Amino acid sequence: MGVGRRMKKQGPPPPLDESRISSIQKRRDLEAEFGARGKKRKASGEVKEQTRPGKTTDGKIKSNLGRKKTAKVNGQASRNDTGRNLALEPAIKTQGLHPVESSDDAADLLGGNKDQRTNESVDEILTDDELLRDEFLDSGSSVYDSDPQHQETMFSDDEGGSDGEEKLTAANIEGLSKRLDEQQEDEAAEAQLELEEAALQINIDGDRPYILEDAEDDPGIKPASRLAPDLQLLRSRITDTVRVLDDFSKLAEEGRSRAEYTAQLLKDICLYYGYSPHLAEKLYNLFPPREAFAFFEANETARPVVIRTNSLRTHRRDLAQSLINRGVTLEPVGKWSKVGLQIFESQVPLGATPEYLGGHYILQAAASFLPVMALAPQEHERILDMAAAPGGKTTYIAALMKNTGCIFANDSNKSRAKGLIGNIHRLGAKNTIVCNYDAREFPKVIGGFDRVLLDAPCSGTGVIAKDPSVKTNKTQKDFMLLPHQQKQLLLAAIDSVDHASKTGGYVVYSTCSVTVEENEQVVQYALAKRPNVRLVDTGLTFGVAGFVSYMGKKFDASMKLTRRFYPHKYNIDGFFVSKFRKTGPLSAAVVKMHDDSAVTNHKADGDDGIPRDGAVPAEVKHQDSDDDVFGGFDDAEDEVYIERAIRRHLRRKGLDPKAADRRGQNQGRGGGETDAIKS
């Protein structure tokens, strides 16, 4: 077969000089194999020992490299007519050194006569390594030159001394390829075997991990509790305990109860994550074991940074483009929000950009969007935010109302109210009034709101990732005082809402806590104390339904309308959101009757005589009037307060209240008061 067109275009490659490249490597590889065999043949006389080269008179070595030697096997020459050494043919094939076949392409690649190159390769293999070493040492030269006419060979940096990196030729490419394939198959088989063994060790039925410690084995030895715990060992034991609790019947040790494993798991969680025992148990009881472990693990990771677009000044698309131009990496927080942006990386401080100072956005947690979205404020409404600081929810309400209507932003802490005022001015909320009252007094201060938002103060068990101090500074007493305060605030919020509002009459109660004591129990208390309210759907598209029963406690069936949010499920802060609808007025007699009765006697089916549909009993209906929405007023008591206020007003203006009284006697009580006020 002649030379192809491709070879004609490129030209033949330069001749390969295998004598310089691979002769030493081949001899080293074959030395171990042929050494023992050659000694046996020399001892038996089958092969004649080669003579060592002598020196000439001028000190030069007689080179035998160019000679063709023939080895006798059984007294006969082993070379055939073509010059091949038949005795070494099998040995050459076992090492992947196949002689060149009679192919024109192979001959062209090797650059010479095929018979001549075959004979030279065989002669190089026949040359003993010791012979070459003696020639090199006896020459007195530090450089070995095999032939001055040979072209100098270039070695690449990647070429090593192993067989896998041997120089590829048309003769040995097939053998090297097979060898590499076999090595890859062996490595893949070994890797698969290791994976199967690991899987067997982890998932095999009957693998019962030894987790619990036996205190009976050596009662005299006390554990070294003062030593620092081994975190890797603790985590491994936590995962093993969770796996046992998931499949307790198969993996539990004999004679061990689930309570023992649970106690050991809680102990390890307290040591590994740093929780107090009381709080760890309270949070653990909210979930199954595996989900509880995911919750504790999620609290160790910070939540993503989220900003809320202020729609009073800009649009989310324009804000995103401006921040991207400043080197901020962001994306929408989710399909459930139209104003949220999640920040992944920022080259500039987010609290010092021109957009931030201009009121285009505010740094606000994604979970804080949820109460406002559940409240769903409408334009031209009167809304009360009972705990407004630092102003994220208040300004969101103002943006949804498009600066119409009126918002009363209240906060009992005067120092926090300063930050509230600053955010209101920066974000351009013009329909907001800031006040500083105890929220429990609000029905007496002012009422008749269309909607009320109560984001109550809480323990903060949903924002442990933001405030790790919650792990240790919350005691059992806190979980008694905080729910008591939350119940008072929720009753005040319900009383402040106008049930006759055409567009409203709603109350939203939310906390950044996940405990049942601060959420479902508070809501259940409000349903028991205020029969004129009921739970309605929050309108949120995601979240976990609230507890209907918890550790033997039964709640109202409508509690499933509330929503819980967990960090390990939605990657947002832990939150609770509930929404009430006020259906009618509440009389003083009903309030007194409910105050006398205990909350534990409240039944969902209405056996205690209090209807759940908001209707007022007939025996107390005659005591109410259309004007007495909040239970009526005491005119005699109000007259004292009014007169005292008039006197105080006159003194501020520098007038004598007694003179005003004398003038009132002459002109009449009502006219005198009017003139005094006008003056």
Side-chain angles (χ1 to χ4, degrees):
M1 184 175 67
V3 181
R5 293 181 60 188
R6 183 172 63 83
M7 299 302 295
K8 285 182 179 180
K9 287 183 178 181
Q10 296 181 354
L16 300 175
D17 189 0
E18 295 186 354
S19 62
R20 296 284 304 277
I21 298 176
S22 59
S23 61
I24 298 176
Q25 297 177 1
K26 294 175 182 176
R27 277 193 295 275
R28 289 178 179 174
D29 298 336
L30 296 177
E31 182 179 0
E33 182 177 353
F34 289 108
R37 189 183 305 175
K39 290 179 181 179
K40 291 181 180 180
R41 290 183 179 180
K42 289 177 184 178
S44 61
E46 294 180 357
V47 180
K48 292 184 178 181
E49 186 175 358
Q50 294 180 354
T51 59
R52 300 178 64 85
K55 292 187 179 180
T56 60
T57 56
D58 55 355
K60 294 185 179 179
I61 300 175
K62 292 181 179 180
S63 176
N64 295 325
L65 296 177
R67 298 180 183 179
K68 297 182 179 179
K69 297 182 180 291
T70 59
K72 291 184 179 181
V73 180
N74 297 328
Q76 296 180 357
S78 60
R79 289 189 182 275
N80 59 1
D81 297 337
T82 60
R84 289 186 179 179
N85 192 333
L86 300 178
L88 294 177
E89 284 274 348
I92 297 173
K93 291 183 179 180
T94 58
Q95 296 297 326
L97 305 174
H98 304 284
V100 182
E101 301 297 335
S102 58
S103 173
D104 295 338
D105 292 340
D108 293 337
L109 287 172
L110 293 175
N113 187 283
K114 63 183 182 63
D115 294 335
Q116 180 181 357
R117 296 195 60 81
T118 304
N119 294 335
E120 291 176 1
S121 300
V122 176
D123 291 337
E124 291 165 5
I125 298 173
L126 287 172
T127 305
D128 190 75
D129 192 13
E130 184 180 358
L131 175 61
L132 178 61
R133 189 181 299 111
D134 292 342
E135 290 176 353
F136 180 75
L137 294 174
D138 296 341
S139 63
S141 175
S142 61
V143 179
Y144 170 69
D145 188 6
S146 63
D147 193 341
Q149 296 180 357
H150 287 173
Q151 183 180 0
E152 186 178 357
T153 306
M154 301 298 294
F155 292 86
S156 82
D157 295 336
D158 297 335
E159 190 170 3
S162 63
D163 293 340
E165 298 177 354
E166 193 174 323
K167 187 70 175 181
L168 292 178
T169 63
N172 63 4
I173 187 171
E174 183 179 358
L176 292 178
S177 177
K178 290 181 179 179
R179 191 185 309 169
L180 291 175
D181 292 341
E182 292 175 358
Q183 291 178 357
Q184 291 178 357
E185 291 177 0
D186 293 342
E187 292 176 357
E190 291 177 359
Q192 183 65 25
L193 183 61
E194 291 178 358
L195 291 176
E196 292 176 358
E197 291 178 355
L200 287 175
Q201 292 177 0
I202 295 177
N203 299 323
I204 188 171
D205 291 339
D207 178 20
R208 301 174 184 269
Y210 182 78
I211 299 171
L212 301 178
E213 299 176 356
D214 291 331
E216 304 170 352
D217 295 344
D218 195 353
I221 300 177
K222 296 182 179 180
S225 58
R226 295 185 179 181
L227 297 179
D230 187 350
L231 296 182
Q232 185 176 1
L233 177 61
L234 280 176
R235 185 173 182 86
S236 175
R237 191 162 59 188
I238 288 173
T239 54
D240 289 341
T241 309
V242 169
R243 186 162 59 91
V244 170
L245 291 174
D246 285 343
D247 195 0
F248 188 78
S249 59
K250 293 182 179 180
L251 301 180
E253 300 177 28
E254 295 182 0
R256 298 290 190 176
S257 64
R258 180 180 288 271
E260 292 179 289
Y261 281 96
T262 302
Q264 182 64 45
L265 179 59
L266 290 174
K267 180 180 177 182
D268 294 340
I269 286 175
C270 293
L271 288 175
Y272 188 79
Y273 296 106
Y275 285 85
S276 62
H278 173 70
L279 183 59
E281 183 179 2
K282 188 178 293 294
L283 297 177
Y284 174 82
N285 292 331
L286 296 173
F287 312 99
R290 187 166 296 276
E291 190 174 355
F293 175 62
F295 174 79
F296 286 116
E297 192 68 21
N299 287 336
E300 303 302 309
T301 306
R303 304 277 79 79
V305 179
V306 177
I307 62 174
R308 179 181 61 81
T309 307
N310 182 20
S311 58
L312 294 176
R313 298 194 184 276
T314 186
H315 299 282
R316 185 169 70 170
R317 184 186 300 273
D318 299 336
L319 175 63
Q321 188 61 45
S322 300
L323 294 178
I324 289 173
N325 294 337
R326 298 187 184 278
V328 180
T329 304
L330 51 82
E331 70 174 14
V333 72
K335 295 182 179 180
W336 54 273
S337 176
K338 297 181 179 180
V339 294
L341 289 173
Q342 183 174 343
I343 307 298
F344 296 101
E345 186 179 0
S346 176
Q347 303 295 333
V348 296
L350 293 176
T353 62
E355 289 79 10
Y356 177 84
L357 299 176
H360 290 191
Y361 67 88
I362 183 175
L363 290 166
Q364 187 175 358
S368 298
F369 298 179
L370 302 174
V372 180
M373 295 172 62
L375 186 65
Q378 306 297 319
E379 298 182 19
H380 306 288
E381 286 186 339
R382 295 175 71 246
I383 295 179
L384 171 63
D385 189 356
M386 299 186 73
K393 301 179 186 65
T394 302
T395 53
Y396 192 10
I397 295 173
L400 293 177
M401 295 175 64
K402 300 179 181 179
N403 263 340
T404 62
C406 183
I407 302 173
F408 287 82
N410 177 73
D411 199 274
S412 59
N413 192 336
K414 186 174 293 186
S415 61
R416 286 170 57 87
K418 295 179 180 179
L420 169 64
I421 295 172
N423 283 325
I424 289 174
H425 283 292
R426 184 174 61 85
L427 296 175
K430 300 179 180 179
N431 61 342
T432 305
I433 300 172
V434 179
C435 50
N436 176 229
Y437 285 100
D438 186 349
R440 291 171 289 188
E441 299 177 0
F442 239 90
K444 297 180 180 179
V445 174
I446 188 173
F449 294 99
D450 296 311
R451 300 171 193 261
V452 175
L453 173 62
L454 173 59
D455 186 22
C458 62
S459 62
T461 54
V463 291
I464 296 178
K466 188 184 301 181
D467 184 13
S469 64
V470 177
K471 296 178 181 179
T472 55
N473 62 7
K474 297 301 178 184
T475 62
Q476 190 171 3
K477 183 178 179 181
D478 294 326
F479 290 100
M480 296 176 63
L481 296 178
L482 286 170
H484 178 71
Q485 182 184 13
Q486 291 161 354
K487 292 173 183 177
Q488 293 177 326
L489 291 171
L490 182 54
L491 293 182
I494 293 173
D495 294 340
S496 299
V497 174
D498 183 10
H499 72 280
S501 174
K502 296 181 180 179
T503 59
Y506 295 100
V507 177
V508 170
Y509 172 76
S510 64
T511 65
C512 56
S513 175
V514 295
T515 59
V516 175
E517 291 82 357
E518 300 177 80
N519 298 323
E520 281 85 357
Q521 288 189 11
V522 175
V523 172
Q524 183 69 28
Y525 178 85
L527 293 176
K529 287 292 184 179
R530 296 293 184 266
N532 58 335
V533 297
R534 58 185 176 88
L535 286 173
V536 295
D537 187 17
T538 59
L540 302 175
T541 58
F542 67 105
V544 181
F547 288 101
V548 180
S549 62
Y550 174 76
M551 298 186 67
K553 299 178 181 179
K554 299 293 183 181
F555 300 121
D556 196 277
S558 61
M559 201 70 67
K560 61 184 179 181
L561 297 175
T562 62
R563 285 292 174 265
R564 285 175 157 268
F565 302 91
Y566 299 119
H568 65 282
K569 282 184 173 291
Y570 309 107
N571 199 20
I572 61 175
D573 293 331
F575 232 78
F576 175 83
V577 179
S578 61
K579 188 175 183 179
F580 297 86
R581 173 69 190 273
K582 190 173 182 179
T583 57
L586 186 66
S587 66
V590 174
V591 174
K592 183 178 181 180
M593 182 170 52
H594 279 279
D595 289 339
D596 295 339
S597 62
V599 181
T600 55
N601 295 330
H602 174 73
K603 299 180 182 179
D605 55 1
D607 292 341
D608 54 355
I610 305 299
R612 298 307 310 278
D613 56 356
V616 180
E619 59 271 14
V620 297
K621 185 178 296 183
H622 65 279
Q623 299 179 9
D624 293 335
S625 61
D626 295 338
D627 297 333
D628 296 337
V629 178
F630 302 104
F633 297 94
D634 190 348
D635 294 336
E637 184 179 2
D638 293 343
E639 183 69 23
V640 176
Y641 286 110
I642 292 173
E643 185 176 357
R644 189 180 302 170
I646 293 175
R647 290 176 175 274
R648 190 182 302 113
H649 176 71
L650 293 175
R651 290 194 187 95
R652 289 198 189 113
K653 298 186 67 174
L655 300 177
D656 186 6
K658 296 181 180 180
D661 292 340
R662 288 193 295 269
R663 189 186 305 170
Q665 293 177 359
N666 298 330
Q667 299 180 359
R669 181 69 177 173
E673 292 178 357
T674 304
D675 294 340
I677 294 175
K678 289 183 179 179
S679 60

